[in-house]
Every structure is written in structure tokens, then in C-alpha cells.
Amino acid sequence: MTWQIVLLGPPGAGKGTHAKILSDRYRIPHISTGDILRSQIQQETSLGKHAKSFIDNGKLVPDELVVEMMKTRLQDPDVRHGFILDGFPRTVEQARALDEILSIKKMPLSLVLEFDTSEDVIVDRLSGRWSCSNCGANYHVRNIPPAKEGICDRCGQPLVQRKDDEPETVRERLRVYRDQTAPLIEFYEKRKLLRVVSGDLDVGPLQEELAQSMKCL
Ligand code: AP5
């Protein structure tokens, strides 16, 4: 049996942090649309050039571009062991496209985990987030600090703050989440795929809750 899991939640909810831990623990790939798009921007591909202004302004990259990108990624060989999707789908249109891709692959979704996280916690997490400019590892200045300030524990490269973590852009990302992504909660509730976890919890207790939710699989 393979696991096809979606992590759903607002910016800063902890999706990326927990997806990496779950991916290591269960040995299934973590697929983050945000990470793929940032890498396209860094490589200055045509997708990256197109996506940059949307990301910098806290808007969603158009559905057709993201769906095409994910169609390609979901053909990679590692996906036959299942996957954890982080940041996709983000609109009802993307969710329908995902259904189509997975029905062709005969790999239906197993579970959607919604991170229920309060706005105060989100603002605190995003204002304190530092990410590795090289490997993408995530830290928090207070909650999850690196051993050496400003340097990645994993690869020794400098840590940077994301441009879209500036307060005004975070407010826009939250607005976009409420308008375009939150409707997916009902979409997946109706399909009986949704489990809600307490996104405000610290990393350890939240991992426990996630493991409990995954026991039903
Ligand atoms: P993306 O990179 O997906 O950003 P996001 O969904 O807004 O989520 P974040 O990465 O900000 O937060 P997270 O929930 O992963 O939290 P994290 O674990 O880092 O997307 C960026 C942009 O790309 C979008 O705005 C859009 O433009 C575009 N895009 C991406 N996907 C798209 C799509 N499908 N369609 C269209 N456009 C798309 O945690 C945050 C901080 O908190 C970290 O510092 C972490 O160390 C800390 N932390 C995490 N968990 C805990 C905890 N439990 N306790 C204490 N601290 C914690």
C-alpha cells in the first residue's frame, strides 16, 4: 500500500517543517510547490520568471502553470512509493486537476491533514523564520534555532529570510489563503479525507498528533 497525503494550511502553519519530518520517517517524497517554484526562480527558467512577481506579491501563481508543473513532477519514479504534497492543491481547480492526475495513475488520495493554526502564531513564525539559501532547511529564530547563528546545521551555508515573509506580503498571503485555499477544507471534508490537527502545537506534540491521524491508514 502507498500513502498519498496532502498537507493543507495557511502560510507559516508548519507544513514544510512537518512534511520533511514525515518524509524522513515514512520514506516517502516531500513535494513542495513553493520549493519547486523558488528553485525555478533561482535557475531563471521561464516558469521561474513568470512566477516571481506572483510570489513576491503574495499572490497565487496561475493554476495552469502550477498544474502543468505538478503533472510533470508526479510522473517521477520516486512517486510510485506515495508522496506528501505541501502547498498543492491550493484552489478547487487545482484539487480537481490533482484528482484527474491521480485517477490516471490509480493512486487516489489517502488523507488530507489540515493544520488549524491561529493568526498570532502564524505572524510570529513567519517573522522569525530563516531558511537555508542552499538546501532549503527551515529554522525559527526562537523555536527551532540553528546551532550556529545564521548558518545551516545541515550544509553550513548562510540562512536567509524569504522576501514574501515581509509583514505586508504575509497579510496578503493570509487573505489569499482565506479566499482561494480555505474552500478546500469543505471540498475534502465532503470526500471524507480530511483530518484536522492543532497547528499551534510545538513540533514534538504536533508530530505525535500527525502520527495518530496517520494510524487510520
Ligand atoms: P509556499 O512556500 O508553499 O508557502 P506557504 O504555503 O505560504 O507556506 P510557508 O512555506 O510560508 O509555511 P509552512 O506552512 O510550510 O511553514 P514552515 O514549516 O516553513 O508558497 C510560497 C508561494 O509560492 C505562494 O505564496 C504562491 O505564490 C506560490 N505557490 C506555492 N504553491 C502554489 C500553488 N499550489 N498554486 C499557486 N501558487 C503557489 O514554518 C514556518 C516557521 O515556523 C519556520 O520558521 C519553522 O521553523 C517554524 N515552525 C514550524 N512549525 C513549528 C511548530 N510546530 N512550533 C514552533 N515553530 C514552528
Side-chain angles (χ1 to χ4, degrees):
M1 197 186 82
T2 59
W3 289 350
Q4 288 77 242
I5 296 171
V6 166
L7 303 188
L8 185 65
K15 304 179 298 294
T17 301
H18 287 277
K20 286 188 180 84
I21 301 172
L22 293 173
S23 166
D24 287 346
R25 181 185 288 178
Y26 298 106
R27 295 175 191 282
I28 41 179
H30 163 210
I31 303 178
S32 155
T33 39
D35 286 349
I36 301 174
L37 288 165
R38 280 184 289 278
S39 142
Q40 295 284 321
I41 291 173
Q42 212 168 18
Q43 293 168 54
E44 299 184 356
T45 64
S46 67
L47 170 59
K49 283 179 189 155
H50 205 105
K52 188 175 183 324
S53 65
F54 292 98
I55 295 182
D56 286 351
N57 290 304
K59 312 273 187 215
L60 293 185
V61 175
D63 285 337
E64 57 275 20
L65 294 181
V66 177
V67 166
E68 221 28 62
M69 178 180 97
M70 289 303 281
K71 261 188 196 160
T72 307
R73 177 63 182 92
L74 289 169
Q75 300 312 321
D76 287 347
D78 61 340
V79 165
R80 68 173 182 273
H81 303 300
F83 50 76
I84 301 169
L85 295 184
D86 159 15
F88 182 84
R90 244 171 157 108
T91 63
V92 170
E93 196 170 321
Q94 291 182 17
R96 295 210 172 100
L98 178 64
D99 277 350
E100 270 181 41
I101 299 169
L102 297 184
S103 105
I104 294 167
K105 293 179 75 65
K106 299 196 172 34
M107 291 177 87
L109 280 184
S110 320
L111 186 64
V112 176
L113 292 163
E114 183 212 340
F115 287 54
D116 181 20
T117 314
S118 59
E119 269 195 42
D120 287 351
V121 169
I122 289 168
V123 170
D124 175 64
R125 286 189 187 160
L126 292 182
S127 58
R129 169 164 62 185
W130 286 83
S131 317
C132 177
S133 53
N134 178 48
C135 73
N138 259 335
Y139 299 88
H140 186 277
V141 71
R142 201 178 51 255
N143 305 334
I144 311 167
K148 192 171 171 200
E149 197 184 320
I151 301 293
C152 179
D153 291 349
R154 280 205 215 160
C155 69
Q157 294 301 306
L159 302 180
V160 292
Q161 282 197 294
R162 269 169 50 175
K163 191 169 184 295
D164 62 347
D165 281 347
E166 284 167 12
E168 201 179 313
T169 317
V170 168
R171 273 195 290 279
E172 177 61 9
R173 287 162 65 198
L174 284 169
R175 190 193 65 72
V176 166
Y177 177 79
R178 280 192 293 270
D179 285 0
Q180 293 178 259
T181 308
L184 290 178
I185 296 170
E186 196 186 336
F187 181 91
Y188 285 123
E189 221 165 22
K190 282 188 182 151
R191 286 163 173 71
K192 304 206 181 314
L193 285 168
L194 193 81
R195 297 256 164 152
V196 184
V197 295
S198 324
D200 285 359
L201 290 175
D202 283 343
V203 175
L206 183 47
Q207 268 299 310
E208 282 301 308
E209 211 178 300
L210 289 164
Q212 284 300 324
S213 299
M214 289 173 70
K215 274 192 180 153
C216 68
L217 295 175

